[in-house]
Amino acid sequence: MVTSQGYREAEKAQREIARAQYLASIVAPSPLKGEADALLRRAQQELQAQAYFRAKELAKASTKIYEALRFLEGAPRQAVPQDPMGRKAYKAPYRAQEAIARAEYEASYYRVNQPLVGRLLKEAKGLLNSGSDLARAEAAHRLAHAAHHLVKAERGF
């Protein structure tokens, strides 16, 4: 018997998977897209196995990778770049550095040795080192968050 908590968790996982599927359909092919597609498939398998938390976190990780790829493609373009919290664009590299540091710390603290986490963090650092424009900083921020969601999926909470 599935509880109401189980239904809520299942619905959250399904919502994240649907969002990731939509983004997967509009992102151009790349090596990172292949990784995100693999994560999305794993999320769907976890949903079928009723591991709702892991499915949701894997889907969020793939969503963040797709969003990073969209930033690298040049979309979305705004006249005055601001994030939803109202912070200014010049703070984007600092937010990305903080997210990278947090993901690295959590991966080492929880002893997560998943190669994709390291690869995402390496890509994020490379984006920050290659330039200081908003799109690269936001893409690095999204990749660091994807690594964070992978760590959460591995640790289970």
Side-chain angles (χ1 to χ4, degrees), residues 88-143:
K88 301 294 181 201
Y90 66 84
K91 294 183 180 178
Y94 303 112
R95 287 193 309 271
Q97 289 171 351
E98 289 172 359
I100 291 168
R102 178 180 178 174
E104 285 177 332
Y105 176 77
E106 286 189 8
S108 67
Y109 184 80
Y110 292 109
R111 295 184 177 96
V112 174
N113 294 325
Q114 192 177 39
L116 184 55
V117 171
R119 181 168 176 226
L120 290 174
L121 292 173
K122 184 179 175 185
E123 288 276 337
K125 288 178 185 177
L127 286 171
L128 282 181
N129 292 335
S130 66
S132 62
D133 64 339
L134 177 65
R136 287 183 187 165
E138 287 297 335
H141 190 229
R142 297 304 195 282
L143 291 176

Side-chain angles (χ1 to χ4, degrees), residues 19-97:
R19 183 174 180 212
Q21 287 172 335
Y22 168 73
L23 288 171
S25 69
I26 61 173
V27 173
S30 72
L32 269 180
K33 184 182 186 301
E35 295 286 350
D37 291 341
L39 284 174
L40 181 56
R41 284 190 297 275
R42 275 184 53 203
Q44 291 167 335
Q45 291 169 353
E46 295 291 341
L47 181 66
Q48 293 297 322
Q50 296 181 350
Y52 302 127
F53 179 80
R54 187 177 298 239
K56 178 182 72 170
E57 292 301 322
L58 290 172
K60 280 185 178 184
S62 65
T63 297
K64 293 295 180 183
I65 294 172
Y66 293 135
E67 288 174 354
L69 292 172
R70 292 281 292 155
F71 272 106
L72 292 176
E73 290 173 357
R77 295 189 177 133
Q78 298 175 344
V80 180
Q82 268 185 301
D83 70 356
M85 299 297 289
R87 295 176 288 203
K88 301 294 181 201
Y90 66 84
K91 294 183 180 178
Y94 303 112
R95 287 193 309 271
Q97 289 171 351

